[in-house]
Amino acid sequence: MEHIERTQIKVSPKNRLIGWGLVWLGVALCSLGYIVDAREAAFNNVLNFLFLAGIGIGALFFLALEYVTGAVWSVPIRRVNEFLAWLVPFAALLAIPILFNLDTVFAWAQKNIAASDALLRMKEPYLNRSFFILRFFGIFIVWIMFIRLLTRNSMRQDATGDQRLTKINTILSAIFMPVFALTLTIFAVDWGMSLDPHWYSTIYGIYFFSGTATASLAALTLVTAVLYERGFFPKLRRDHFYNLGALLFTFVNFWAYIAFSQFMLVWYANLPEETSWFIARWHGGWEYISIVLILVQFAVPYFVLLPQEAKMNIRTLRRMAVWLLFAHALDLYWLIMPAFSATPPLGWMEISFPILIAGVVLIVLGWQVQNLSLVPVGDPKLKRGLEFRL
Amino acid sequence: MNMAQKENLYAITGLFDSPDAVLHAAEETEKAGYTKFDVHTPYPVHGMDRAMKLKTSKIGLFAFAFGLLGAVCAVLFISWVTIKDYPLVIGGKPFWSWPAFVPVSFEVTVLATSVLSTLAMIVLYFKFPNNAHPLHDTPYMKSISSNRFGIAVQADDPKFDEKEVTGFFKSLGSKEIAPVYFVPADQDMRPALFDPKFLGLLLVIGLTASAATYFTLNKILYLPPFDWMMVQPKLKAQQPSSFFHDGIGMRPPVEGTVARGYMPYPYKGKPEEAGKYLINPLFPTKEVLDRGQQKFLTYCSPCHGNFGRGDSRLQGQFPNPPTLLSDKVRSWPDGSIYHVITEGQNAMPSYASQVSREDRWAIIQYIRALQRAQHAHESDFK
Amino acid sequence: MTTIDYTQEPAITIGVVTSAEIDAAISAPLDRFPSRRWWIAFGIALMILSMGLASVTAILFKGLGLMGFNQPVAWAFDITNFVFWVGIGHAGTLISAILFLMRQRWRNAIARFAEAMTIFAVICAGMFVSVAHLGRVWLAGYLLPYPNQHGLWINFISPLVWDVFAVSTYFTVSLVFWYLGLVPDFATLRDRTRNKHKKLAYSILSLGWRFSNRHWSHYERMYLILAGFATPLVLSVHTIVSFDFAVSVLPGWHSTIFPPYFVAGAVFSGFAMVQNVLIGMRKFFKLEKIITLKHLENMNKVMLATGMMVGYAYAVEFFMAWYSGSQFERFVFLNRALGPYAWAYWIMVSCNVLFVQLFWFKKIRTSIPAMFAIGVLVNVGMWFERYVIIVTSLSRDFLPSSWGHFSPTIFDFGVLALGFGLFFTLVLLFVRFLPSVAIAELKGVMENAQPHYHE
């Protein structure tokens, strides 16, 4: 078996400077935002927190999926998912300011709301501040535990090449799957659905998953493509990229399917307690966002990624990955912001948080690539993965 | 080998034992400059397309085009049906209910692309069905369909030379090289489309289908049990009925039946109360007066004359009513005039069935205008 | 812990199997006269089928009242069976199309059989909606949009019409996909057989296929495209079936999660049925080397995954019913667990959520009697899931004065027999007359079937 070299990337001081610069600029702007208008800042905080946490835990999902299905084609790029997964604890840090501002964001968190709102009174055993914070910590503890276990085994395998670690990770991944389903649903219900506490939809957790998974996949594709174009993945082939493209295409379709199902069922039954949510997104300027969302998250990626050649073209994939990340941000904006304002907000605060998370992503990825081999050299499936052909 | 057989040569075939061997052989054949050759394998061998330098199949474009066609046709058809040809309000939804059109349109798209592309591939690309090809029933084909791999170089290739090709295959490692000939009998079978037996079969199918459809729809559906709902014991309009003593199915409404929207006139036979309590709900606006004028001219002018003077063309043939412009009528409250229109007075019958309640009030406004015209003030002319 | 060597590609067959052996093994049942076991099985299937046909004939003459329908429970066994059989069909397309797209080579040995089961399952499902519950079955043509003198069109807004298009499209496309896969196999059979009549039949059916690579190139592309279309199709069909319920306002029916929940449930029950039938088939036809324990184990893993998705949906629906604060929603779930149909509900939960968890253990995943039993339980559980959804929500909805009860009659059970009888009759006919494993596809994934790359 030919020996595959460890690939470790040295992050240049310039890139490190950019990363930290963005972080500090972001922190400054966000703090200013909280001082100027705590409510708008808190909502933007929620949006970006969900964006970052989603990409991170989505990456862990794909990692687990690779182990559970026994896939080989993604083994050479698995480390990228591990890097992305480590965004999760930093996303949790990002949520801390929100925990101190719960009543500005969540209607149900306001003091004495139960006195005036009978429906919220009925939901009070679930929608109360203590239980909410408990769930937040519980979910992140569970997620970070799985991230640590899975990535630690993968790291150990680099040194020992022990095949039993693959078996252990496979079992851990299988256990993670149902845990992920339940925790992500609770996460989505808590941070997304309860923004409009009178409304409910049983598919909401799956909807959130579809958008999150697409974004994680886009992040994986983007990082892989950028590193490949810089020469760090010399042995990857169009065959590997085709699979990434095919997965992106699949998840774009999956998002559209879930989004349409939710919309059509609410539209058809026409029950006021359900339609209110969509009606809010059809007035005051939100209708334009709704239409743009369909175009950006479904129509354009569908036709761009439909031809087989496009799925293999690395430049197309790189551009589509960036596009889909913006599309997911728009999706979250459309989910969250109507609870903040009846018209779509756009100001400096909407940009300050993305600056912060851009910096966080650069710093975290930079830290990870320096410590770990880019390619999991100890993985027994690595050779088969590199030899993978369509 | 005699000359007749030589002219009938279709191709020289060579069998190989492994996919690697046939792949290499295919590459060499293509490099050697042969164009009319084909590779035969019991299953698709990876890399063969590249070895033969085949262009990527364009069947995907067909699939896309058919899918688009299906989608567009479905959406247009459903829209035409639900908006133009047979619009129904379903569940309070608008006629253009695009979310409800999506499922059917999607299904039709998939159906169109799957069926039509497959048909296009089979008929246009493969030119199937074709069981008269020279390779059928040869030992070569029997090996291929089981577990061997082969190449056939056709005799009509410009570079074809029997000895050369045989030697070429030998050099590539083929152990079984054999010629394949056209079978004369098969060649006579084209074109099969106009074969009298085939046309006869089509005719028989057509006749049988027509007869079956005719009998089913015109005869069988009228037999029991299929006709059980055609004759129903319920009473339909204008049917006789032995249940009623006069044998008539349709019955007049029962005594005391009230029409929908019917409201009784509260001042029946009470002209004074009508005058006292009824108030004209309409104001003398231009619309009301125009309407009053129109209705007055229609219903009242035959007796009362065009201006209410009682001087209509019925003079002499029918007793004329007194003028409406008299002081007496001017002093009547609106309600009294309303009562007269509703109940009639002396020779005047009730106009309640011809003039709606609102129209009656409009007419009264008009009469007031006529009366005012007769006794105008100086200020009216400004 | 049993050791797996991850550096090696997992074996698809037990030992090396050559193309000639595949030909012999798969065409053998077609060449010889069917065995006694086949006749006994066929006899039983025909008997069950005739019970079903007798019921359906009685219903045609006497009317739907022979079954247990009433107001408010206007749908019961008929729609339960319809959804059940459409769901079973989905496993076939998943194995055939989706596993193909995921390039899982182990699917090749079982794809043909699974695809055939899809077609038969869809036929059975079609029986239920167009024969067993339509009343005036001879007017079934009214379901299609044809121009007529009344100036009438079908109601495109109704999910029942969407069903007509979905199920008929699913049937047609599955048939086309299945037939396309059969063409090379018919050619192989044509070249093997010595019987003149069979040769004629196989020649016509194979369309004259010559195994030319110029044809394989288009064929493979078309197969990929069909698989690519069959995948969203299969999702859409059960989604549209779920819309039959979800577009209503009935609590317990109107729930946005129904589409993916139904699709997961369909794959779940479908795999259980395929697994059960494959266990029987590989034993009878001695195909254990080709349809291995690994195939069955993989199917059990899929069952575990989809079973957990179904369990997830139960949990989410239950939570949301409480979260909604609606007394009607909350009542539906209390009624399911504690009301008059609680026995059906608990069968459903134990079979779908509990017993299938046994597949976490490798010993059970690889034990044929255990997995067969769990497969049967899963099918029972999934049948009851549809029964619970339909009957409990209808029997007790908003107004207590409208509540009613449903009891099945002998004719309901007769129609249930129709489904199973028809399905197994068709399966037995299939294994008698057609190659039940895709010969060409299987040859293509054997060891040494593909050239080695020289890089």
Side-chain angles (χ1 to χ4, degrees):
Chain A
M1 179 167 116
E2 54 181 280
H3 184 70
I4 297 155
E5 290 292 312
R6 286 179 73 93
T7 318
Q8 261 165 274
I9 304 176
K10 263 207 90 52
V11 178
S12 71
K14 189 180 86 165
N15 285 334
R16 213 194 307 245
L17 196 65
I18 295 175
W20 281 111
L22 286 172
V23 167
W24 287 121
L25 178 64
V27 167
L29 286 174
C30 296
S31 314
L32 189 63
Y34 264 106
I35 297 169
V36 166
D37 182 351
R39 188 156 185 263
E40 186 165 357
F43 267 92
N44 276 300
N45 200 344
V46 169
L47 196 158
N48 287 273
F49 161 59
L50 290 180
F51 187 79
L52 201 61
I55 290 184
I57 199 62
L60 193 67
F61 165 74
F62 281 108
L63 187 91
L65 192 65
E66 178 195 297
Y67 277 112
V68 161
T69 55
V72 296
W73 67 271
S74 56
V75 172
I77 56 176
R78 190 182 70 231
R79 271 292 143 71
V80 180
N81 269 333
E82 294 180 27
F83 299 159
L84 289 171
W86 276 106
L87 289 171
V88 166
F90 296 92
L93 286 177
L94 200 62
I96 304 290
I98 310 171
L99 295 181
F100 289 102
N101 279 290
L102 281 180
D103 50 353
T104 55
V105 176
F106 296 104
W108 52 263
Q110 286 159 16
K111 284 197 188 353
N112 304 320
I113 189 75
S116 53
D117 192 322
L119 200 54
L120 289 185
R121 206 179 315 138
M122 288 176 106
K123 305 192 193 210
E124 214 259 331
Y126 185 80
L127 290 182
N128 61 72
R129 303 164 79 119
S130 337
F131 197 12
F132 181 88
I133 296 176
L134 195 70
R135 289 195 298 271
F136 164 73
F137 280 109
I139 289 175
F140 274 87
I141 289 172
V142 167
W143 284 355
I144 295 172
M145 190 183 76
F146 272 99
I147 294 170
R148 183 139 159 77
L149 283 169
L150 286 166
T151 56
R152 202 180 50 171
N153 282 340
S154 171
M155 193 168 72
R156 272 209 206 126
Q157 204 177 44
D158 272 4
T160 65
D162 188 353
Q163 291 209 36
R164 280 177 306 176
L165 287 168
T166 303
K167 179 92 194 246
I168 294 173
N169 264 4
T170 306
I171 296 175
L172 273 175
S173 299
I175 298 173
F176 174 69
M177 286 305 194
V179 169
F180 169 73
L182 287 170
T183 49
L184 191 75
T185 303
I186 297 172
F187 183 64
V189 166
D190 281 359
W191 291 88
M193 203 172 88
S194 75
L195 285 168
D196 192 344
H198 287 186
W199 183 76
Y200 65 95
S201 162
T202 40
I203 208 178
Y204 194 87
I206 303 182
Y207 179 83
F208 190 83
F209 164 70
S210 69
T212 304
T214 313
S216 305
L217 209 47
L220 173 69
T221 308
L222 180 62
V223 173
T224 308
V226 165
L227 289 176
Y228 175 81
E229 282 171 344
R230 305 259 164 103
F232 289 109
F233 278 121
K235 294 208 165 70
L236 281 185
R237 267 196 311 277
R238 278 157 62 94
D239 307 73
H240 298 96
F241 281 100
Y242 175 80
N243 274 5
L244 279 174
L247 269 177
L248 271 175
F249 184 68
T250 305
F251 273 92
V252 162
N253 279 293
F254 182 61
W255 178 89
Y257 162 64
I258 301 293
F260 175 73
S261 297
Q262 185 172 244
F263 172 71
M264 199 275 284
L265 291 174
V266 169
W267 169 87
Y268 203 107
N270 212 6
L271 298 173
E273 62 262 31
E274 293 182 354
T275 55
S276 56
W277 194 83
F278 281 102
I279 289 175
R281 284 152 183 77
W282 200 247
H283 287 99
W286 283 109
E287 57 269 39
Y288 304 111
I289 306 283
S290 301
I291 296 176
V292 167
L293 181 63
I294 300 173
L295 289 173
V296 157
Q297 178 85 324
F298 175 62
V300 168
Y302 181 85
F303 285 105
V304 167
L305 289 174
L306 183 62
Q308 201 180 37
E309 293 69 40
K311 294 185 185 83
M312 289 197 255
N313 183 316
I314 294 162
R315 216 174 50 172
T316 309
L317 285 179
R318 177 169 42 86
R319 290 187 179 148
M320 262 299 119
V322 175
W323 178 282
L324 284 170
L325 283 169
F326 274 107
H328 180 59
L330 188 70
D331 188 17
L332 285 175
Y333 180 76
W334 180 81
L335 279 179
I336 294 167
M337 286 314 202
F340 165 67
S341 128
T343 56
L346 188 60
W348 61 274
M349 259 195 268
E350 276 69 37
I351 307 183
S352 57
F353 279 91
I355 292 176
L356 175 57
I357 59 170
V360 168
V361 169
L362 284 175
I363 297 295
V364 170
L365 288 182
W367 157 55
Q368 291 277 306
V369 300
Q370 295 213 114
N371 287 340
L372 282 170
S373 168
L374 186 60
V375 176
V377 291
D379 194 311
K381 294 191 285 186
L382 180 60
K383 184 159 173 286
R384 280 165 60 199
L386 289 171
E387 287 169 357
F388 169 81
R389 275 195 199 307
L390 285 174
Chain B
M1 194 177 311
N2 60 43
M3 283 305 291
Q5 274 190 311
K6 263 201 157 63
E7 279 158 13
N8 248 340
L9 184 66
Y10 166 71
I12 299 282
T13 63
L15 281 174
F16 297 86
D17 286 328
S18 76
D20 285 284
V22 74
L23 190 67
H24 176 72
E27 279 169 351
E28 295 303 317
T29 311
E30 200 280 329
K31 265 199 227 139
Y34 294 107
T35 48
K36 291 202 179 197
F37 74 101
D38 208 352
V39 178
H40 299 93
T41 54
Y43 50 85
V45 170
H46 294 167
M48 188 59 74
D49 290 353
R50 220 175 317 134
M52 289 171 72
K53 295 237 176 27
L54 285 180
K55 291 205 198 73
T56 345
S57 166
K58 295 274 180 304
I59 197 90
L61 290 173
F62 272 96
F64 183 74
F66 285 131
L68 204 58
L69 183 73
V72 167
C73 286
V75 172
L76 285 179
F77 178 68
I78 299 175
S79 306
W80 175 73
V81 163
T82 53
I83 300 173
K84 186 92 200 336
D85 198 56
Y86 193 53
L88 288 176
V89 177
I90 313 268
K93 300 287 186 293
F95 295 138
W96 166 249
S97 295
W98 69 265
F101 299 166
V102 167
V104 175
S105 310
F106 178 81
E107 299 299 329
V108 171
T109 306
V110 174
L111 184 67
T113 188
S114 307
V115 173
L116 294 176
S117 313
T118 309
L119 271 177
M121 180 185 75
I122 291 177
V123 171
L124 293 177
Y125 277 91
F126 296 168
K127 301 197 180 21
F128 281 171
N130 177 8
N131 274 304
H133 195 271
L135 282 176
H136 287 135
D137 281 331
T138 56
Y140 172 72
M141 186 49 49
K142 291 201 164 80
S143 301
I144 296 289
S145 65
S146 177
N147 60 354
R148 306 286 289 286
F149 312 84
I151 303 188
V153 177
Q154 283 166 239
D156 53 355
D157 185 291
K159 292 185 91 182
F160 182 81
D161 175 80
E162 215 179 309
K163 281 212 175 45
E164 230 177 84
V165 172
T166 313
F168 180 60
F169 278 159
K170 269 216 189 70
S171 71
L172 290 171
S174 169
K175 304 276 176 7
E176 281 164 61
I177 302 164
V180 168
Y181 300 98
F182 286 106
V183 178
D186 282 346
Q187 283 186 291
D188 298 338
M189 274 173 68
R190 307 191 194 150
L193 210 55
F194 298 110
D195 178 52
K197 274 205 225 147
F198 180 64
L199 289 175
L201 181 68
L202 281 182
L203 190 66
V204 167
I205 291 176
L207 283 174
T208 319
S210 314
T213 312
Y214 176 81
F215 273 104
T216 310
L217 295 181
N218 291 326
K219 304 277 182 249
I220 298 180
L221 280 187
Y222 292 92
L223 297 174
F226 306 114
D227 67 343
W228 281 352
M229 284 189 79
M230 290 180 193
V231 177
Q232 296 176 24
K234 73 183 182 198
L235 198 57
K236 289 191 181 158
Q238 306 192 358
Q239 264 184 350
S241 167
S242 55
F243 181 75
F244 298 103
H245 64 88
D246 55 6
I248 301 174
M250 299 180 74
R251 318 300 305 164
V254 176
E255 187 73 37
T257 304
V258 170
R260 189 179 287 196
Y262 169 74
M263 272 172 24
Y265 182 56
Y267 302 106
K268 207 176 166 67
K270 301 193 192 128
E272 270 143 43
E273 280 84 343
K276 222 175 9 177
Y277 296 116
L278 282 174
I279 302 173
N280 194 335
L282 299 177
F283 291 108
T285 64
K286 186 168 187 320
E287 291 88 25
V288 169
L289 289 174
D290 280 339
R291 185 158 132 205
Q293 177 185 50
Q294 189 202 26
K295 298 298 175 188
F296 183 87
L297 290 173
T298 307
Y299 296 107
C300 316
S301 67
C303 294
H304 286 281
N306 289 344
F307 297 102
R309 292 208 181 88
D311 55 349
S312 75
R313 55 190 174 281
L314 287 180
Q315 229 161 14
Q317 297 160 59
F318 199 78
N320 281 111
T323 171
L324 293 172
L325 311 176
S326 62
D327 288 335
K328 174 167 154 231
V329 182
R330 273 177 61 214
S331 70
W332 274 6
D334 283 354
S336 299
I337 306 182
Y338 185 90
H339 186 81
V340 171
I341 304 176
T342 307
E343 299 244 301
Q345 183 180 270
N346 304 331
M348 173 171 160
S350 156
Y351 273 81
S353 57
Q354 287 128 298
V355 184
S356 74
R357 290 172 183 202
E358 241 185 69
D359 285 342
R360 289 174 225 164
W361 291 117
I363 289 173
I364 293 167
Q365 289 289 6
Y366 182 66
I367 294 172
R368 294 295 183 214
L370 287 174
Q371 291 168 342
R372 177 74 175 249
Q374 200 60 4
H375 304 268
H377 300 216
E378 269 291 322
S379 54
D380 287 344
F381 290 102
K382 291 211 183 68
Chain C
M1 242 190 277
T2 47
T3 42
I4 306 173
D5 185 6
Y6 290 103
T7 57
Q8 300 303 323
E9 192 80 40
I12 295 191
T13 53
I14 298 182
V16 176
V17 180
T18 65
S19 292
E21 284 175 346
I22 292 175
D23 273 349
I26 297 169
S27 14
L30 308 177
D31 292 333
R32 58 164 190 261
F33 197 69
S35 65
R36 191 141 50 110
R37 272 192 299 191
W38 185 88
W39 280 110
I40 294 175
F42 191 62
I44 297 174
L46 271 185
M47 219 164 52
I48 301 175
L49 175 62
S50 41
M51 289 196 318
L53 287 174
S55 298
V56 165
T57 313
I59 291 167
L60 264 174
F61 270 81
K62 288 284 184 180
L64 293 180
L66 283 180
M67 293 191 271
F69 299 131
N70 57 53
Q71 287 293 349
V73 188
W75 278 355
F77 270 51
D78 54 343
I79 300 295
T80 306
N81 287 326
F82 167 66
V83 180
F84 179 74
W85 286 108
V86 175
I88 297 235
H90 287 358
T93 317
L94 189 136
I95 292 174
S96 194
I98 299 178
L99 289 179
F100 174 79
L101 290 176
M102 289 164 65
R103 303 178 198 278
Q104 300 288 310
R105 300 177 325 143
W106 57 272
R107 135 256 187 239
N108 282 13
I110 55 177
R112 166 72 44 74
F113 194 84
E115 190 64 39
M117 282 180 65
T118 293
I119 293 171
F120 303 146
V122 174
I123 292 174
C124 291
M127 283 291 112
F128 285 104
V129 277
S130 57
V131 173
H133 97 142
L134 207 58
R136 285 184 295 171
V137 178
W138 53 95
L139 297 178
Y142 282 179
L143 289 168
L144 300 168
Y146 67 94
N148 57 70
Q149 289 167 316
H150 309 284
L152 292 174
W153 291 107
I154 56 178
N155 176 12
F156 285 102
I157 317 286
S158 162
L160 304 182
V161 167
W162 304 343
D163 263 347
V164 169
F165 280 86
V167 176
S168 49
T169 301
Y170 188 41
F171 176 72
T172 312
V173 173
S174 295
L175 198 64
V176 167
F177 192 43
W178 185 64
Y179 178 65
L180 194 66
L182 272 168
V183 163
D185 290 357
F186 280 134
T188 301
L189 292 169
R190 166 198 75 201
D191 289 338
R192 268 182 71 94
T193 186
R194 279 182 255 275
N195 179 314
K196 204 172 63 160
H197 302 289
K198 282 196 181 163
K199 181 140 185 232
L200 180 65
Y202 290 139
S203 300
I204 295 174
L205 287 169
S206 68
L207 302 176
W209 179 258
R210 304 198 289 276
F211 297 96
S212 144
N213 192 63
R214 289 174 196 272
H215 293 172
W216 277 126
S217 143
H218 297 298
Y219 177 96
E220 283 218 287
R221 196 65 185 232
M222 191 72 237
Y223 199 86
L224 181 71
I225 292 172
L226 277 177
F229 272 111
T231 305
L233 177 66
V234 90
L235 296 176
S236 74
V237 169
H238 226 67
T239 297
I240 289 175
V241 167
S242 80
F243 284 162
D244 283 344
F245 309 107
V247 298
S248 70
V249 297
L250 211 57
W253 277 19
H254 180 61
S255 170
T256 45
I257 203 176
F258 264 34
Y261 160 43
F262 266 54
V263 173
V267 172
F268 185 38
S269 65
F271 264 71
M273 181 70 87
V274 172
Q275 178 237 68
N276 275 354
V277 182
L278 275 182
I279 287 176
M281 203 194 82
R282 71 197 273 273
K283 192 124 195 295
F284 285 170
F285 293 121
K286 304 204 199 324
L287 294 172
E288 285 100 331
K289 269 172 64 165
I290 299 178
I291 302 176
T292 65
L293 208 55
K294 193 92 189 108
H295 287 97
L296 296 174
E297 195 192 341
N298 284 346
M299 295 177 68
N300 293 336
K301 286 186 187 168
V302 173
M303 277 167 66
L304 181 60
T306 48
M308 286 201 288
M309 291 182 204
V310 168
Y312 164 85
Y314 292 165
V316 168
E317 286 207 293
F318 187 72
F319 169 71
M320 286 295 172
W322 173 83
Y323 179 88
S324 71
S326 154
Q327 71 173 128
F328 304 112
E329 291 280 344
R330 290 178 173 187
F331 176 75
V332 160
F333 286 89
L334 287 175
N335 180 47
R336 281 187 186 172
L338 306 169
Y341 295 102
W343 56 274
Y345 177 80
W346 289 108
I347 292 179
M348 165 185 113
V349 170
S350 53
C351 291
N352 294 344
V353 181
L354 289 178
F355 292 128
V356 74
Q357 300 300 324
L358 289 169
F359 278 152
W360 280 102
F361 304 104
K362 190 160 175 114
K363 250 188 132 84
I364 300 197
R365 276 204 305 273
T366 48
S367 146
I368 301 233
M371 68 167 88
F372 188 86
I374 295 180
V376 170
L377 285 175
V378 166
N379 270 324
V380 167
M382 283 310 295
W383 192 92
F384 274 104
E385 179 191 285
R386 278 65 171 253
Y387 183 78
V388 163
I389 291 176
I390 294 172
V391 175
T392 61
S393 301
L394 283 177
S395 67
R396 288 184 169 187
D397 59 4
F398 297 101
L399 278 182
S401 57
S402 319
W403 288 359
H405 191 83
F406 166 79
S407 297
T409 64
I410 187 85
F411 293 97
D412 281 301
F413 288 108
V415 167
L416 178 65
L418 174 73
F420 284 94
L422 184 62
F423 182 74
F424 285 109
T425 305
L426 289 171
V427 165
L428 286 164
L429 286 174
F430 165 70
V431 298
R432 167 72 188 94
F433 289 109
L434 292 174
S436 47
V437 176
I439 301 172
E441 286 180 24
L442 188 60
K443 285 180 188 172
V445 292
M446 291 289 100
E447 233 177 280
N448 300 322
Q450 297 296 337
H452 302 100
Y453 288 95
H454 308 293
E455 285 176 272

